[in-house]
Amino acid sequence: MKKSAIYSLLFLKCPRCRQGEFLESNPYKISNYNKVREHCPKCNLKYSIEPSFYYGSMYVSYAVGVAIAVAIYVLLWLAGYGSSPLIAFIAILVGLVLFFPYIGAVSKSIWAHFFFKYDRQIAKQVKNDSRT
């Protein structure tokens, strides 16, 4: 099964092979909070082009946070609670706090996908190597 770019982004996989883990651990694990691996464990891609490479992901995290806030508001509106500013504010605040670690992780993944492109040959080779 070929893994899509969306799968790779949302499940925090390597941008080049879409199979290796992108982070050291789960985004909600505080001890390794959103720590990006140095290399892909499958295709050995170096995840950082330069020091402070992932500072740019802060701009992406802003956009992802706004998208989540809008989605929460639309869901509230569809449920009939969108007319109350206090309920909307509290729901958005709680949602953003709960999703904060994942927003940071997926923003780093999106940022990496801007710079590292999928390579079908490497993905096929990694997949074949994992079978043996």
Side-chain angles (χ1 to χ4, degrees):
M1 175 180 102
K2 180 184 172 237
K3 295 181 173 132
S4 69
I6 298 295
Y7 173 88
S8 177
L9 287 169
L10 296 179
F11 290 95
L12 309 171
K13 299 294 183 183
C14 172
R16 185 166 73 175
C17 69
R18 296 183 183 163
Q19 297 172 48
E21 296 297 326
F22 185 68
L23 296 178
E24 290 283 335
S25 64
N26 186 308
Y28 288 91
K29 187 174 180 184
I30 301 300
S31 63
N32 278 341
Y33 177 72
N34 283 341
K35 187 168 188 237
V36 177
R37 293 177 183 268
E38 286 194 35
H39 295 87
C40 173
K42 301 282 187 174
C43 70
N44 206 31
L45 170 68
K46 184 177 179 191
Y47 285 141
S48 184
I49 296 173
E50 60 186 62
S52 306
F53 174 67
Y54 289 100
Y55 281 175
S57 70
M58 290 186 293
Y59 298 105
V60 177
S61 70
Y62 176 76
V64 172
V66 168
I68 288 176
V70 168
I72 291 170
Y73 180 75
V74 167
L75 290 173
L76 284 172
W77 185 74
L78 290 173
Y81 297 106
S83 61
S84 172
L86 182 61
I87 291 175
F89 175 75
I90 291 171
I92 290 170
L93 184 66
V94 167
L96 288 175
V97 167
L98 290 175
F99 284 112
F100 181 74
Y102 183 72
I103 290 170
V106 82
S107 298
K108 287 180 179 181
S109 180
I110 291 169
W111 188 252
H113 278 74
F114 282 142
F115 294 94
F116 305 113
K117 299 301 174 202
Y118 175 69
D119 189 325
R120 186 181 313 249
Q121 296 297 339
I122 290 176
K124 190 181 218 182
Q125 180 182 1
V126 166
K127 187 175 181 180
N128 290 336
D129 288 347
S130 67
R131 287 184 185 169
T132 57

